[in-house]
């Protein structure tokens, strides 16, 4: 420091080419009084304005991939970030989805729904008629066991067909035997 000069305050630095204090610009900081350089924000951090004394971590749901950032980017739909100060986002796995930018966690498929895709930004699909799913976070639906049906989309369990009936080929209704020479027909048994 030169004779008669004052220490630069935090958020400013006395650069080698000047005896005056320079403001640390966006993406940089000076944490200590008398700093001789402005430091560049690390990966996963940012400093939005002038005279920053520290860099801030990117919030959960956001990221930054370069040093000296002035802003963090939002994770795009299909991806999320559950920690602060990160440089990437995480892909939603099968059985989950992320339908909004800046998500901090994925949403698991509810019972009766499934999602076989990675990085899905769309809500989970309903299990088709004749299938069911009783658990969360599933990638597929199950076919009903013998003599059982799932009569609607999004079923979470199957229903037993009455005596003297069989499931239809779709698994969505029971077919009743109305007589010894008649075929099975879809009527209430």
């Amino acid at each position: 420091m030169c004779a008669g000069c004052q220490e630069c305050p935090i958020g400013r630095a006395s650069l080698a080419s000047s005896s005056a204090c320079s403001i640390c610009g966006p993406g940089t900081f000076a944490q200590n009084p008398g700093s001789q350089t402005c430091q560049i924000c690390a990966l996963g951090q940012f400093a939005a304005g002038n005279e920053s004394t520290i860099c801030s971590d990117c919030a959960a749901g956001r990221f930054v991939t370069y040093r000296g950032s002035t802003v963090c980017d939002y994770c795009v739909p299909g991806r999320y970030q559950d920690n602060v100060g990160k440089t990437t986002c995480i892909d939603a796995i099968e059985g989950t989805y992320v339908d909004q930018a800046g998500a901090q966690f994925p949403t698991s498929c509810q019972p009766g729904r499934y999602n076989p895709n990675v990085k899905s930004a769309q809500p989970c699909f309903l299990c088709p008629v004749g299938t069911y799913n009783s658990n969360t976070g599933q990638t597929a639906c199950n076919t009903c066991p013998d003599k059982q049906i799932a009569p609607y989309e999004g079923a979470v369990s199957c229903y037993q067909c009455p005596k003297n009936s069989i499931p239809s080929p779709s698994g969505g209704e029971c077919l009743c035997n109305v007589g010894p020479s008649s075929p099975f027909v879809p009527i209430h048994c």
Side-chain angles (χ1 to χ4, degrees):
M1 185 163 72
C2 68
C5 294
Q6 292 190 350
E7 249 183 6
C8 291
I10 57 177
R12 294 178 178 226
S14 59
L15 305 177
S17 62
S18 172
S19 61
C21 295
S22 297
I23 293 173
C24 293
T28 66
F29 70 103
Q31 187 173 13
N32 300 313
S35 293
Q36 295 183 353
T37 60
C38 294
Q39 302 295 312
I40 297 174
C41 293
L43 293 172
Q45 296 184 328
F46 73 102
N50 290 323
E51 296 187 79
S52 293
T53 58
I54 60 168
C55 294
S56 300
D57 286 337
C58 291
R62 301 182 86 171
F63 72 105
V64 69
T65 59
Y66 57 91
R67 292 173 40 103
S69 178
T70 60
V71 66
C72 298
D73 295 318
Y74 287 100
C75 295
V76 297
R79 304 188 84 201
Y80 70 98
Q81 181 49 258
D82 55 359
N83 287 306
V84 299
K86 295 300 178 178
T87 59
T88 61
C89 295
I90 303 165
D91 293 343
I93 62 170
E94 298 95 335
T96 68
Y97 69 98
V98 175
D99 63 351
Q100 296 181 13
Q104 297 177 14
F105 51 87
T107 301
S108 291
C109 296
Q110 295 299 307
R113 295 177 176 267
Y114 72 103
N115 192 345
N117 304 314
V118 175
K119 288 176 56 174
S120 180
Q122 302 299 317
C124 302
F125 304 103
L126 289 170
C127 290
V129 169
T131 65
Y132 75 102
N133 186 333
S134 57
N135 297 313
T136 61
Q138 298 301 301
T139 60
C141 297
N142 305 305
T143 303
C144 290
D146 284 346
K147 307 247 183 197
Q148 294 186 20
I149 62 166
Y152 53 86
E153 291 182 328
V156 297
S157 62
C158 296
Y159 302 96
Q160 185 73 38
C161 283
K163 190 174 184 172
N164 294 323
S165 67
I166 60 171
S168 68
S170 72
E173 60 185 345
C174 295
L175 302 176
C176 297
N177 186 351
V178 292
S181 63
S182 300
F184 285 91
V185 294
I187 62 168
H188 183 67
C189 300

